[in-house]
Every structure is written in C-alpha cells, then in structure tokens.
Amino acid sequence: IAPNEGIQLQEANFQEALLGQLAGLPGTRLVLAGGGVRVLEWTPPPTTRTQLLTGASPRVAAWSLPSPAGTPVVSGPPADWHVSSDGRRGYVVEGDYWREQRGAYQASVRLATTGPATVQVWDLSSHRLLAQRTTTATGGVSMLRMPFVLDRVAPPSVYTGWGPFRLYRPLPPPGAVVEVRVWTAGNDLVDVYGVGVSRTGPAAHERKD
C-alpha cells in the first residue's frame, strides 16, 4: 500500500485507514516500509475464509504518515506503533489527506510530548490555515481535539490524462483537501499515535432546514 504515491491524493486517508486495519489483524507483520510504500504480510487463522477491510475510519494510524522530522516506530504490538520526533525542527506528522465538504469539524490527535507541540489544520485546496493549537507536556499519551470550520470548497481537480491519452471516470463531488499536521521545534520528544477528522455539524453560514 502506497497512500501518498500516484495521482489520487484525496484517497490517501482511505489507504492509511486500511493500513491500520491490516496491521491490527492477528497474524500480520510489517515486511517493508520505505519510499512511501508499506508492505504487510497476513497469515490468517486456519478457519478464516474471508476478511472484510473497509478502509473507512475517522482516524488513521500516524506510523503510516510520511514526515520530515519524524521516524516510524513499528516494534511491539501494532496498537503501540507511532511516529516519534527525531530531534529536527519541522513536522512530525503530515500527509493525511481528507476530502471534506463545507461544515463544522473536529480534528483529533493522539500524542505524547515532553514539551510544546503545535497541531495545525490546513485547507490544502486554498492553502489556508484553518486552526492551530499548541500543547504543553502531556505527561503520557493523551487525545487533543480541536474544532474548525470549512467554509469553502473547490471543484475537484483530477488527473484525466495527457495529450491524446484520456482517462474517463466519474469525478468526485466538490470538496476541499484537509490535512492535520503536528509540528515541533525539535527540543522535545513528540510521539504521535493517530490523527483524525470528523464532522460535527454544518457550516455556520449554511441554512438549517
């Protein structure tokens, strides 16, 4: 699975959620992780004939997200896998893409930090910072929740081919690509376990029937 490779970045959160579901199955091991690609091998129990993997989740595992100032920690039980800051200044987690409609939302980040860490929500479609919050030392793993409002969306921008080569497929509905990032100055240890985006209500300017 390569969530952030190719031309369909708005589907990255689907693939990242799929990675978390696969990793959580008994008998799964991570074979390879590098270059944006994650390879997992699953040995099902002898009595298992089918396994449903929906890829639908309001939260994704942070270890699957690329980051310039973070290193995936994938030892021990998959529930403990996370991204850990490596001492550099920059984003510990980024690359989770959520295609959302106008409305009110809540970003959530499960993390542990020994000092200040900043959580940001970006609208990548219009390059706008929608929300930002800096947390201090958490004293262990905790959940940070931050509300934000998405008040504008854009027509879908989808690759359809080049020159005489055309790719025909249904276009997704208008929306905005939202990304949740975790930033550190590099002075403290920041461990991020998961990030998510969930809708809480319509945008303030939308009419309620």
Side-chain angles (χ1 to χ4, degrees):
I1 299 178
N4 295 293
E5 303 301 320
I7 60 176
Q8 297 294 341
L9 291 182
Q10 67 267 29
E11 298 177 359
N13 64 313
F14 175 89
Q15 297 186 55
E16 289 154 1
L18 191 63
L19 274 172
Q21 293 175 14
L22 282 168
L25 293 176
T28 297
R29 71 183 185 93
L30 183 64
V31 178
L32 177 67
V37 179
R38 308 290 186 267
V39 179
L40 297 98
E41 180 183 60
W42 179 48
T43 303
T47 57
T48 299
R49 294 292 177 266
T50 60
Q51 179 66 49
L52 177 64
L53 298 171
T54 64
S57 174
R59 187 172 294 110
V60 298
W63 65 268
S64 67
L65 303 173
S67 55
T71 301
V73 178
V74 291
S75 58
D80 296 334
W81 292 2
H82 60 280
V83 171
S84 185
S85 59
D86 59 9
R88 290 182 291 175
R89 179 188 181 95
Y91 288 111
V92 180
V93 163
E94 64 177 357
D96 53 300
Y97 301 106
W98 312 77
R99 188 170 185 85
E100 304 292 354
Q101 305 303 308
R102 290 187 299 175
Y105 292 85
Q106 177 178 262
S108 60
V109 178
R110 185 168 174 259
L111 80 169
T113 175
T114 61
T118 301
V119 177
Q120 300 174 340
V121 180
W122 285 86
D123 175 1
L124 298 185
S125 300
S126 59
H127 306 287
R128 292 186 301 151
L129 179 63
L130 300 177
Q132 179 172 285
R133 177 180 170 186
T134 299
T135 181
T136 57
T138 58
V141 180
S142 64
M143 183 72 76
L144 183 148
R145 295 180 173 86
M146 183 169 58
F148 68 94
V149 173
L150 189 60
D151 58 3
R152 69 180 76 163
V153 297
S157 177
V158 177
Y159 180 78
T160 57
W162 179 83
F165 305 100
R166 309 302 297 173
L167 180 62
Y168 296 97
R169 60 171 177 258
L171 292 177
V177 178
V178 175
E179 181 186 27
V180 180
R181 304 175 183 175
V182 180
W183 185 89
T184 176
N187 303 320
D188 302 284
L189 178 63
V190 181
D191 294 330
V192 185
Y193 292 82
V195 299
V197 170
S198 57
R199 184 165 183 142
T200 58
H205 64 277
E206 290 184 351
R207 186 182 67 184
K208 298 180 180 179
D209 296 326

